[in-house]
Amino acid sequence: MPVKKAISLAVTLVALVGMAFMLVSGGRAQEDSSLEAQSNGKKEKGFDRQITANMERMIEEGRDIFRNDTFGDEAFWGDLLQLHKAIEGAQFGGVGPGVSPATALAVGLKVDSEALPNSLVKDLKKGRVNLDDPATTLALIKLDAVVGVKGAFNQDGSLSSVGITCAVCHSTVDDSFAPGIGKRLDGWANRDLNVGAIIGLAPNLKPVSDLLEVDEATVRAVL
């Protein structure tokens, strides 16, 4: 057989084998993809279903702890620093002018818009909510809308204490409603949080000054 003819035949055979391989591989890929799709569409059974249910339960429990558990730190923020008294102000049984939503936002606290009732959202959009009134702050805390801040209330509506959760530092919002107000972004650092300014709002900084062995005036000056 002439050399040229042999080479031509060899090239043709290689091409045919390559095409056959591609067709088979493509068919197998489609089959594998189809099987995977069928598998994903099947309901989990037995132990697999228990694993998934346990995973989902643990995620929900973790989210709840992250958002809502103060780990008893009301003993510090409430009992010692008495921050709740500064938040509500003298008008509601506390001390000073109180902390308005405008002040709360200014020190970096965030408001979860999804925790707000529709009526309040409408009023906010129409400018009917006084963001300079501490009463509005108390209402937002009652709605659990201030991210990472948990309030304990007396029967008369005044604050009896306040606690802080992990979310105050490790959650923020997307500002979709207004600056500092929007949908929660858990796990995103709150880069706007001014911890010193928040502590500085507390009426009793003696526990901090005692710990640092300086006077309260120095603590407030530093904060």
Side-chain angles (χ1 to χ4, degrees):
M1 181 182 294
V3 175
K4 288 185 178 179
K5 189 174 182 179
I7 293 174
S8 177
L9 180 60
V11 170
T12 302
L13 288 172
V14 170
L16 289 172
V17 170
M19 290 176 64
F21 179 78
M22 290 175 64
L23 288 171
V24 171
S25 298
R28 286 180 178 174
Q30 290 180 354
E31 182 180 356
D32 291 343
S33 177
S34 177
L35 288 173
E36 183 179 357
Q38 291 177 13
S39 176
N40 290 337
K42 289 181 179 178
K43 292 183 178 180
E44 293 177 327
K45 297 180 180 180
F47 193 57
D48 286 341
R49 184 165 54 189
Q50 293 181 37
I51 292 172
T52 300
N54 185 58
M55 174 192 69
E56 292 174 349
R57 177 182 59 80
M58 292 181 70
I59 290 174
E60 289 298 323
E61 289 179 355
R63 182 184 291 116
D64 181 64
I65 291 170
F66 176 83
R67 290 182 174 183
N68 300 310
D69 201 332
T70 65
F71 298 97
D73 66 8
E74 291 89 346
F76 176 74
W77 297 103
D79 297 348
L80 292 180
L81 300 191
Q82 300 175 14
L83 184 59
H84 60 290
K85 292 185 177 181
I87 292 173
E88 61 187 359
Q91 180 182 357
F92 297 99
V95 296
V99 176
S100 67
T103 299
L105 292 170
V107 298
L109 293 173
K110 305 297 181 180
V111 174
D112 178 7
S113 61
E114 294 184 313
L116 305 178
N118 291 332
S119 58
L120 180 55
V121 171
K122 291 178 181 178
D123 288 341
L124 280 168
K125 289 181 177 179
K126 294 180 179 180
R128 296 175 180 171
V129 179
N130 186 356
L131 297 181
D132 294 314
D133 188 352
T136 306
T137 303
L138 295 179
L140 291 173
I141 293 175
K142 283 183 180 179
L143 290 170
D144 201 22
V146 183
V147 176
V149 177
K150 309 296 289 186
F153 288 85
N154 297 309
Q155 290 185 349
D156 62 1
S158 62
L159 274 172
S160 62
S161 190
V162 69
I164 301 296
T165 75
C166 300
V168 75
C169 293
H170 303 289
S171 286
T172 186
V173 296
D174 62 5
D175 295 341
S176 56
F177 188 90
I181 306 174
K183 296 178 181 179
R184 295 180 68 123
L185 298 172
D186 286 336
W188 293 52
N190 183 353
R191 298 179 182 274
D192 301 319
L193 195 66
N194 189 336
V195 178
I198 293 172
I199 295 175
L201 295 171
N204 180 30
L205 292 182
K206 190 174 186 304
V208 179
S209 66
D210 288 346
L211 179 65
L212 299 176
E213 298 182 350
V214 296
D215 56 52
E216 288 190 48
T218 300
V219 173
R220 291 192 182 279
V222 172
L223 293 175

